[in-house]
Amino acid sequence: MAKVLVVEDDADIRTLLDLRLRAAGHRVVGAGSAAAALEVLAERGAPDVLVSDVSLPGTTGLELVRRLRADERYARLPVVFLSGRVQPADIEAGRALGATYLTKPVVLSALCTAIEQSLATADAGASW
């Protein structure tokens, strides 16, 4: 299956996502902040998909993805946002970055579906 980088500052949610995604056959690495995610990327290279909270300490998930989109190595990285922010402007900000936007509490089967769809779109060569 896919290599998934999960960026979530809530350790309990990160653990839950890790367990569920591993049960679905994915290889998962977790990070508690955007800075930690950048360290993982520097050490391990690009995952197949990034799953990120929008509200993170320091740099937001949106800013993390903007930064990644500016880097040719990550410009087409599939992204799924998870967020408690449900206002249309928040959702549009995530989608404007070419990401799937799911609201919390997330249905884990919906997350798995979003990951699969993101990977299928990336495999098809769709542009962001």
Side-chain angles (χ1 to χ4, degrees):
M1 287 298 228
K3 295 182 292 182
V4 182
L5 173 56
V6 174
V7 187
E8 170 61 60
D9 60 320
D10 184 307
D12 292 334
I13 294 173
R14 193 170 58 247
T15 298
L16 177 66
L17 294 172
D18 181 276
L19 291 171
R20 178 60 176 99
L21 292 173
R22 285 180 191 276
H26 299 294
R27 290 173 284 160
V28 182
V29 174
S33 67
L38 292 172
E39 289 177 17
V40 169
L41 292 171
E43 292 172 6
R44 296 179 177 236
D48 296 318
V49 64
L50 172 72
V51 175
S52 179
D53 190 0
V54 172
S55 298
L56 295 169
T59 302
T60 69
L62 294 170
E63 285 301 319
L64 170 63
V65 173
R66 282 187 193 103
R67 182 173 175 180
L68 294 176
R69 294 282 186 250
D71 185 326
E72 187 175 297
R73 295 171 295 172
Y74 308 112
R76 295 177 51 119
L77 177 65
V79 175
V80 177
F81 281 121
L82 302 178
S83 181
R85 296 181 179 183
V86 298
Q87 298 298 317
D90 296 322
I91 295 169
E92 183 52 37
R95 290 183 178 161
L97 292 169
T100 301
Y101 195 101
L102 301 176
T103 58
K104 291 180 181 176
V106 67
V107 176
L108 293 174
S109 61
L111 174 58
C112 288
T113 298
I115 289 170
E116 291 170 17
Q117 290 174 342
S118 295
L119 291 170
T121 300
D123 288 343
S127 62
W128 296 105

